[in-house]
Amino acid sequence: MNSWHENLTVVRAIILLFVAMAPLSAGCARASQAPADGIPELQCEAPFSYSIKTTALLRAAGSGNSSDAGSGTTYDFDWRMADWDGTRATKGTELRTKPMPWLKEQWLSFKFFAEEKYFAGDSRFSIILQYHSMPDIDLGEEWRNPVSSFVIRGRNIQYDYRSSSEQVTPKNASGFIYTNKGTLHLGAVRFGQWNQVVIHQTFDYYKGHIKIWMNGKAFEQTGGIGFNDKRGMFVKFGLYCPERSDLAEKRISFRDVRMIPTRPSDPIPGTEEDAFRQLGVTKR
């Protein structure tokens, strides 16, 4: 009996491994196997068959990539300028969570790997991870900028954030009018190696709080962050290039993507040390 159960467990593990290693198809008919990695089930926004690939093991995406051992799913994103036609679908290749209307505070950690040739020579920016919010379409509200986002500009990375306390975010000829907005400059991307990011956010239109650890260095900001929307925020990561690109192709890899909480019933860590331990990250 015990031998039968052990063999069944092995068979299931092999099946899950093969499923996780399969490329995501065009249109993303299959959600990724993300829940086991500490994040909600992911949905895809990837228009082409080459856009996203996932593996259950560490993939070699370039020099230095395999030297940093890790666990969990690795997500490889590929975006090509030749397929850009100005529509939203061709501006990016991303994975996203479902909306979290209950979200008031969250910890998130991830590692990303990027080669210099895919970013450093570009005069246009790329968003690699963003908290977005569902507009209240029934009230006439439109899609706006992200609530917050990690943005690569050339060789550097920054974190942009915004808040809107209005039920419908106002707009004039120059664009949306936010209650608050700002930018945290996080320094240079370490091209050719894995970059470790941890972020803790408390969402409030006026008195929100952001703390980011970028490769061990801490950055902190207090101010408004979050929108007044009924359906709430969701997280997206990958590549989003809204203003085209000077480069023919962009590639980036993510791994060890984890969030706390992922459900309304999940407790918030009481200290930074507890959060880092639960995220599986060593605090430096």
Side-chain angles (χ1 to χ4, degrees):
M1 180 66 72
N2 290 339
S3 176
W4 184 85
H5 280 294
E6 290 173 1
N7 291 337
L8 181 59
T9 300
V10 171
V11 170
R12 285 174 176 169
I14 293 173
I15 292 172
L16 287 173
L17 179 60
F18 276 107
V19 169
M21 293 180 68
L24 292 170
S25 60
C28 298
R30 178 179 61 82
S32 79
Q33 303 297 315
D37 288 344
I39 51 178
E41 180 178 293
L42 297 172
Q43 299 175 335
C44 309
E45 293 185 358
F48 306 106
S49 59
Y50 60 76
S51 296
I52 305 175
K53 293 182 174 63
T54 68
T55 62
L57 304 175
L58 182 63
R59 289 171 58 88
S63 175
N65 194 6
S66 59
S67 64
D68 184 11
S71 61
T73 303
T74 298
Y75 307 91
D76 299 322
F77 298 87
D78 187 347
W79 180 88
R80 301 175 188 178
M81 183 61 208
D83 292 318
W84 195 95
D85 64 9
T87 61
R88 175 60 181 85
T90 62
K91 292 180 180 180
T93 166
E94 298 169 285
L95 291 168
R96 63 178 175 87
T97 68
K98 294 180 180 179
M100 297 174 279
W102 44 267
L103 191 62
K104 300 296 182 184
E105 179 182 358
Q106 190 169 59
W107 287 85
L108 183 150
S109 66
F110 64 95
K111 291 181 179 178
F112 74 90
F113 181 94
E115 293 185 66
E116 185 176 6
K117 65 181 179 181
Y118 294 123
F119 293 92
D122 199 352
S123 66
R124 318 292 179 93
F125 69 90
S126 303
I127 296 176
I128 65 167
L129 185 143
Q130 55 183 303
Y131 279 77
H132 223 310
S133 190
M134 302 289 293
D136 294 319
I137 301 295
D138 58 317
L139 300 178
E141 193 167 47
E142 302 176 22
W143 283 96
R144 299 137 298 174
N145 304 95
V147 171
S148 55
S149 55
F150 286 95
V151 181
I152 294 180
R153 291 182 177 270
R155 298 178 178 276
N156 297 312
I157 186 167
Q158 65 190 52
Y159 197 68
D160 298 334
Y161 59 93
R162 304 169 181 86
S163 73
S164 176
S165 61
E166 302 283 348
Q167 191 172 22
V168 174
T169 303
K171 185 180 182 182
N172 60 22
S174 300
F176 291 103
I177 304 170
Y178 295 107
T179 305
N180 182 60
K181 62 180 180 179
T183 296
L184 277 170
H185 296 280
L186 307 176
V189 176
R190 295 180 180 176
F191 290 114
Q193 57 185 294
W194 287 100
N195 294 260
Q196 172 72 69
V197 181
V198 176
I199 179 169
H200 176 222
Q201 294 182 106
T202 302
F203 300 98
D204 185 276
Y205 310 136
Y206 305 103
K207 299 179 181 179
H209 182 258
I210 305 168
K211 189 168 184 180
I212 298 171
W213 291 262
M214 178 73 191
N215 292 322
K217 184 176 181 179
F219 301 83
E220 196 165 7
Q221 182 67 48
T222 299
I225 177 172
F227 295 167
N228 186 356
D229 295 326
K230 292 177 290 188
R231 297 178 62 190
M233 291 178 288
F234 56 95
V235 178
K236 303 173 70 173
F237 63 96
L239 285 167
Y240 179 50
C241 308
E243 298 183 359
R244 304 169 63 92
S245 174
D246 301 326
L247 305 176
E249 185 176 21
K250 286 177 174 288
R251 292 185 180 182
I252 196 167
S253 297
F254 284 76
R255 78 160 198 249
D256 302 337
V257 183
R258 300 186 178 100
M259 303 175 193
I260 306 171
T262 61
R263 299 169 298 181
S265 58
D266 290 344
I268 301 291
T271 65
E272 290 181 359
E273 288 70 24
D274 287 342
F276 273 74
R277 177 179 52 80
Q278 292 179 43
L279 292 168
V281 178
T282 300
K283 188 177 181 183
R284 289 179 280 175

